[in-house]
C-alpha cells in the first residue's frame, strides 16, 4: 500500500507553482463556511445556487423550443411569464437573505464559474 501511495504522489505535482497554468490566473475559490452564526444563510445560498442553475437551464431550453417553433403563442407567453416570475422570486429570496444573484455563482477554480455571465 505504501508503494502505491508513493507512486500516486510521484505523479501529482508537489507544489502549486508546479501546476501548469493555462488562461487567466486562478482566483481562490469562495467556500461555504460552516460557521454556526451563518449556517442558515450559507444553506440558503447553496439551495438558491442550485435553483438558479436549474432556472437558467430551463430558460435556455425554453428559448430553444421557441426558436424551433415547438410552442404555440399562448405557450410562449405562459412560459415567458413563468420564467419572469421565477426570476423575480429568486431576487426576492436573495434580498431576504442579504445575497445578490452574483453571490450564487460559485467559483469552480480552473473550470471557471458555475453560472454563465448574465
Amino acid at each position: 500500500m505504501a508503494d502505491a501511495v508513493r507512486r500516486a504522489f510521484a505523479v501529482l505535482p508537489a507544489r502549486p507553482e508546479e501546476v501548469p497554468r493555462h488562461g487567466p490566473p486562478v482566483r481562490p475559490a469562495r467556500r461555504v463556511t460552516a460557521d454556526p452564526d451563518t449556517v442558515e444563510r450559507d444553506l440558503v445560498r447553496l439551495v438558491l445556487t442550485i435553483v438558479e442553475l436549474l432556472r437558467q437551464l430551463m430558460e435556455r431550453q425554453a428559448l430553444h423550443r421557441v426558436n424551433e417553433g415547438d410552442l404555440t403563442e399562448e405557450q410562449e407567453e405562459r412560459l415567458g411569464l413563468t420564467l419572469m416570475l421565477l426570476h423575480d422570486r429568486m431576487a426576492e429570496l436573495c434580498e431576504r437573505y442579504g445575497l445578490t444573484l452574483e453571490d450564487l455563482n460559485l467559483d469552480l477554480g480552473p473550470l471557471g464559474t458555475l453560472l454563465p455571465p448574465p
Side-chain angles (χ1 to χ4, degrees):
M1 171 115 166
D3 188 45
V5 170
R6 190 173 31 262
R7 283 185 304 203
F9 280 109
V11 173
L12 297 175
R15 294 181 300 265
E17 61 269 8
E18 294 178 359
V19 176
R21 302 239 188 252
H22 303 288
V26 178
R27 297 172 288 154
R30 294 184 308 182
R31 301 192 187 277
V32 175
T33 60
D35 183 2
D37 297 331
T38 63
V39 71
E40 179 182 4
R41 183 178 183 268
D42 294 337
L43 182 59
V44 167
R45 179 178 172 216
L46 180 60
V47 170
L48 289 179
T49 297
I50 294 168
V51 171
E52 178 62 13
L53 176 62
L54 293 174
R55 186 195 69 76
Q56 288 188 15
L57 291 173
M58 287 172 30
E59 190 174 83
R60 285 199 190 112
Q61 181 65 29
L63 288 174
H64 177 72
R65 290 187 66 196
V66 167
N67 290 338
E68 292 294 315
D70 291 347
L71 302 173
T72 66
E73 193 172 313
E74 181 184 322
Q75 289 172 323
E76 288 178 18
E77 288 293 322
R78 195 172 76 230
L79 188 56
L81 179 60
T82 301
L83 290 172
M84 286 185 346
L85 290 172
L86 183 55
H87 183 272
D88 291 346
R89 184 66 177 134
M90 284 292 297
E92 288 173 18
L93 287 168
C94 284
E95 184 178 328
R96 178 178 178 184
Y97 288 95
L99 299 167
T100 64
L101 288 174
E102 292 79 29
D103 291 335
L104 305 182
N105 199 358
L106 299 178
D107 185 354
L108 302 176
L111 298 176
T113 55
L114 177 66
L115 304 172

